[in-house]
Amino acid sequence: MIAKLKLRGGSQFTHDMEGMMTDMRLSQDIQSAFAEHVKDKELELDTDLTVQVLTTGFWPTYKSDELNLPKEMLQCIETFKAFYDLRTSHRRLRWVHSLGSATVVGKFTPSGKSKEHDLLVSTYQACILLLFNEADSMTFSDIQGHLNLPAEELKRYVLSLCVGKYKILTKDPAGKEVAPTDKITYNAAFSDRARRIKVPMIAAKITQEEKDATRATVDEDRKHAIEAAIVRIMKTRKSLDHQKLVLEASTQLMRHFKPDPKQIKKRIEDLIHREYLERDPSNPNLYKYLA
């Protein structure tokens, strides 16, 4: 599939995709090597860990956090870091916890009977739940102090466990507003017919700033795609007038998105400035490819 896309769109179009596929293959090899390392060193980890090591530049940019991991997670994270540092000295791990997931075994006593559920949660949700191994209840402010997450972001994760479909925790006072003094309590009476439960997240509100940032990223990606299409056409045709170049570029790009002719014109001007193209001295609407 990637080979077909590369043939149609060019190597620049599939560069990041090829890097992603390489990362996925290497991650499987690293995971296998880590399992062998743990076995050979006779290390005992309280938590099973699967890590995907991705290369910055091939993947979208994700913001980092200063999450304080519970001790149940910290041990396996540090073990993997020590293993990875032995394999390479020129790459540095940066953990993106917002992409992580976990399976937490929850023990409850509905109607006085012991019952277990496998809770499929995000890393942030798992960190919140693991805090209740130490105490049955705590305030929202206490949770924030333990995890060191921004309040607005933490509220979403706490609410997903308190007021969502599965009320694994309870909140006092009830409601969807969260104050620092609100009391969050482990819900020992929780029960569900299913053994495995995927706990959904509460959708985040997208701010105008985030919309603008997404638009800027899309525009930047499209800019490179437009330039690549223009260069491919001109490399083949050697010379072409403005209208035909815009038409051919639009036709090629329509497979991916609908380009604005004004954007194509801007990219042509930029390529002329960077000496990929030049105008014919006797006809300003005729462009020539510069080898």
Side-chain angles (χ1 to χ4, degrees):
M1 179 59 74
I2 292 179
K4 289 182 179 178
L5 289 172
K6 190 173 184 178
L7 186 63
R8 285 177 172 270
S11 59
Q12 185 175 357
F13 180 71
T14 59
H15 176 261
D16 288 355
M17 197 180 303
E18 289 177 295
M20 289 177 178
M21 297 301 294
T22 300
D23 278 351
M24 299 302 289
R25 288 194 296 270
L26 290 177
S27 287
Q28 292 177 349
D29 295 340
I30 292 171
Q31 189 64 39
S32 299
F34 177 60
E36 288 295 323
H37 171 77
V38 171
K39 183 179 178 181
D40 293 343
K41 298 292 183 181
E42 298 182 349
L43 302 174
E44 292 187 9
L45 300 180
D46 296 332
T47 304
D48 293 333
L49 177 69
T50 301
V51 179
Q52 288 187 336
V53 182
L54 311 179
T55 304
T56 302
F58 294 143
W59 299 81
T61 302
Y62 301 101
K63 63 179 181 180
S64 299
D65 57 50
E66 300 298 326
L67 174 66
N68 292 331
L69 291 169
K71 63 180 186 297
E72 293 91 341
M73 292 183 175
L74 198 58
Q75 178 203 19
C76 59
I77 288 283
E78 290 178 342
T79 302
F80 183 86
K81 184 179 183 302
F83 155 78
Y84 190 78
D85 288 345
L86 289 174
R87 286 175 62 95
T88 178
S89 59
H90 63 279
R91 300 186 75 179
R92 181 175 63 88
L93 287 176
R94 180 175 67 88
W95 297 93
V96 185
H97 300 299
S98 59
L99 299 180
S101 61
T103 300
V104 177
V105 178
K107 297 183 178 181
F108 307 93
T109 54
S111 304
K113 297 180 181 179
S114 180
K115 190 173 184 179
E116 292 187 357
H117 289 286
D118 294 334
L119 307 174
L120 281 61
V121 293
S122 70
T123 299
Y124 292 153
Q125 288 172 318
C127 290
I128 294 168
L129 291 173
L130 289 174
L131 293 177
F132 290 88
N133 283 334
E134 307 298 328
D136 285 346
S137 65
M138 59 185 71
T139 64
F140 176 81
S141 181
D142 291 336
I143 294 174
Q144 186 181 9
H146 281 296
L147 300 182
N148 192 36
L149 284 174
E152 289 304 314
E153 191 170 3
L154 182 59
K155 285 177 184 178
R156 287 179 53 232
Y157 292 97
V158 169
L159 286 174
S160 70
L161 298 167
C162 294
V163 300
K165 183 177 180 181
Y166 303 105
K167 296 176 177 57
I168 299 161
L169 306 176
T170 61
K171 187 175 78 72
D172 184 25
K176 293 189 176 182
E177 296 298 323
V178 182
T181 55
D182 283 2
K183 188 177 181 181
I184 313 298
T185 305
Y186 152 68
N187 183 13
F190 173 78
S191 180
D192 192 84
R193 286 182 296 178
R195 162 77 189 209
R196 289 170 62 84
I197 297 171
K198 182 174 177 59
V199 183
M201 266 302 301
I202 291 177
K205 293 181 179 178
I206 301 176
T207 64
Q208 187 60 45
E209 184 179 341
E210 289 172 325
K211 288 180 181 178
D212 292 342
T214 302
R215 171 54 62 185
T217 302
V218 170
D219 288 345
E220 185 68 19
D221 290 343
R222 289 183 174 182
K223 180 178 77 173
H224 295 308
I226 292 169
E227 288 183 355
I230 293 169
V231 170
R232 281 196 306 272
I233 293 165
M234 292 302 298
K235 194 172 183 180
T236 303
R237 303 291 292 274
K238 303 305 180 186
S239 66
L240 206 61
D241 68 51
H242 178 79
Q243 292 298 332
K244 288 182 179 178
L245 178 55
V246 171
L247 181 61
E248 286 199 30
S250 297
T251 303
Q252 282 196 16
L253 294 165
M254 282 294 284
R255 303 188 191 107
H256 314 300
F257 61 91
K258 186 177 180 180
D260 184 347
K262 292 180 181 178
Q263 286 182 313
I264 297 176
K265 184 178 180 181
K266 284 183 180 179
R267 300 318 339 138
I268 292 172
E269 294 294 338
D270 194 57
L271 289 170
I272 291 172
H273 179 72
R274 285 151 52 195
E275 298 184 348
Y276 283 89
L277 309 176
E278 68 174 358
R279 281 192 172 89
D280 187 284
S282 60
N283 183 359
N285 285 324
L286 183 66
Y287 304 119
K288 292 183 178 180
Y289 178 71
L290 297 177

